[in-house]
Amino acid sequence: MSMIFLGIVLLGAVLFLIVSDWLFLKKDVTKIERLKIYKDTIVTQWSILLIICIVWLVSDFSWKELFTIDSGNSEEYSSSFIAGFLTSVIIGALLFVFIMNWRAKKGDSKNLVVGNIDFLLAQTKKERLAFIFVAATAGICEEIVFRGAMAVFLFGLPFEFSLGTVAIISAVIFGIAHFYQGAKGILGTGLFGYIIFKIYMASGSLLVPIIIHFIVDLKFVLTPNGKVNLK
């Protein structure tokens, strides 16, 4: 029964995100209020996480399996390897920010960051501050839902999925849940989801993917988005 409830919640969450994204994309982007979008995103994701936590409270799932995974080879990856990977992510994010700022100074602002969803990115100081909370929310909520809870559900099905198969399935679902980013965005977030799941397997702890996800999203706070492409 617990698996059924969890499956319903996860399916409902993904469908809700897809439908809400579809409705959002039909709006006139020139009239959007970014702060309102940020607030709605934060409320939505924490609400989904709250429902997941309620499922955990009333079921026989353990909290440990929500935040850890035993891949059988986690011990092969030293703390120095994980620290090195995190350092690489930070350097990559800073390099991205540097390149975007350099392009902005040259006046190359067309499709500056992510093309047709540039209008969602923070432009004012107040929006940038709010986006920090969006990044933190995405890092925490999306990782717990799409990596932690999703893995528990997939491993609980009577199909004996391998770790690699679970990584692929969760990555595909994660990509689809980012429907608003279009085909390229779905592929990009799907690939990111796969990589982050492999890191989850390597570290054995969901904390590492949460930190990486937060850093990856946080880089947009420092990216120049003053001029956006609304076409």
Side-chain angles (χ1 to χ4, degrees), residues 139-170:
I140 297 171
C141 297
E142 291 185 7
E143 290 308 313
I144 293 177
V145 173
F146 289 99
R147 245 63 68 187
M150 189 69 69
V152 171
F153 176 73
L154 292 174
F155 282 128
L157 294 176
F159 301 115
E160 297 184 1
F161 288 133
S162 66
L163 279 168
T165 301
V166 170
I168 293 174
I169 294 175
S170 64

Side-chain angles (χ1 to χ4, degrees), residues 2 27 32 38 41 43 48 63 80 86 88 90 97 99 106 124 142 148 153 156 164 171 174 196 221:
S2 298
K27 296 181 179 180
I32 66 168
Y38 297 165
T41 299
V43 171
I48 292 174
W63 291 100
S80 59
L86 285 172
S88 299
I90 294 173
V97 171
I99 293 175
K106 290 183 62 179
T124 67
E142 291 185 7
F153 176 73
F174 183 65
I196 211 75
V221 174

Side-chain angles (χ1 to χ4, degrees), residues 22-201:
W22 179 73
L23 293 174
F24 170 74
L25 291 175
K26 296 181 70 174
K27 296 181 179 180
D28 182 355
V29 299
T30 63
K31 298 180 180 179
I32 66 168
E33 298 179 22
R34 276 178 290 274
L35 287 176
K36 183 179 184 303
I37 292 176
Y38 297 165
K39 178 182 177 180
D40 291 345
T41 299
I42 292 172
V43 171
T44 296
Q45 294 205 9
W46 281 106
S47 296
I48 292 174
L49 181 57
L50 176 61
I51 296 174
I52 291 291
C53 290
I54 292 175
V55 172
W56 244 256
L57 285 171
V58 301
S59 68
D60 54 357
F61 296 125
S62 72
W63 291 100
K64 181 179 180 180
E65 62 184 340
L66 181 62
F67 296 99
T68 61
I69 188 171
D70 183 10
S71 63
N73 63 351
S74 297
E75 295 181 357
E76 297 178 8
Y77 295 88
S78 63
S79 57
S80 59
F81 170 82
I82 301 300
F85 189 87
L86 285 172
T87 301
S88 299
V89 171
I90 294 173
I91 293 175
L94 292 175
L95 182 61
F96 175 88
V97 171
F98 173 79
I99 293 175
M100 291 302 102
N101 278 278
W102 175 71
R103 288 181 58 189
K105 289 180 179 179
K106 290 183 62 179
D108 183 12
S109 58
K110 184 178 180 181
N111 294 325
L112 190 58
V113 182
V114 284
N116 62 351
I117 62 169
D118 277 353
F119 62 89
L120 291 175
L121 302 179
Q123 297 182 40
T124 67
K125 290 183 178 180
K126 191 173 183 179
E127 289 173 354
R128 291 177 191 277
L129 179 61
F131 199 86
I132 294 176
F133 293 95
V134 174
T137 294
I140 297 171
C141 297
E142 291 185 7
E143 290 308 313
I144 293 177
V145 173
F146 289 99
R147 245 63 68 187
M150 189 69 69
V152 171
F153 176 73
L154 292 174
F155 282 128
L157 294 176
F159 301 115
E160 297 184 1
F161 288 133
S162 66
L163 279 168
T165 301
V166 170
I168 293 174
I169 294 175
S170 64
V172 170
I173 295 174
F174 183 65
I176 294 175
H178 288 75
F179 176 79
Y180 73 97
Q181 294 188 15
K184 291 182 179 180
I186 291 175
L187 289 174
T189 53
L191 178 60
F192 174 75
Y194 179 77
I195 293 173
I196 211 75
F197 194 96
K198 300 292 285 187
I199 293 300
Y200 181 30
M201 291 168 52

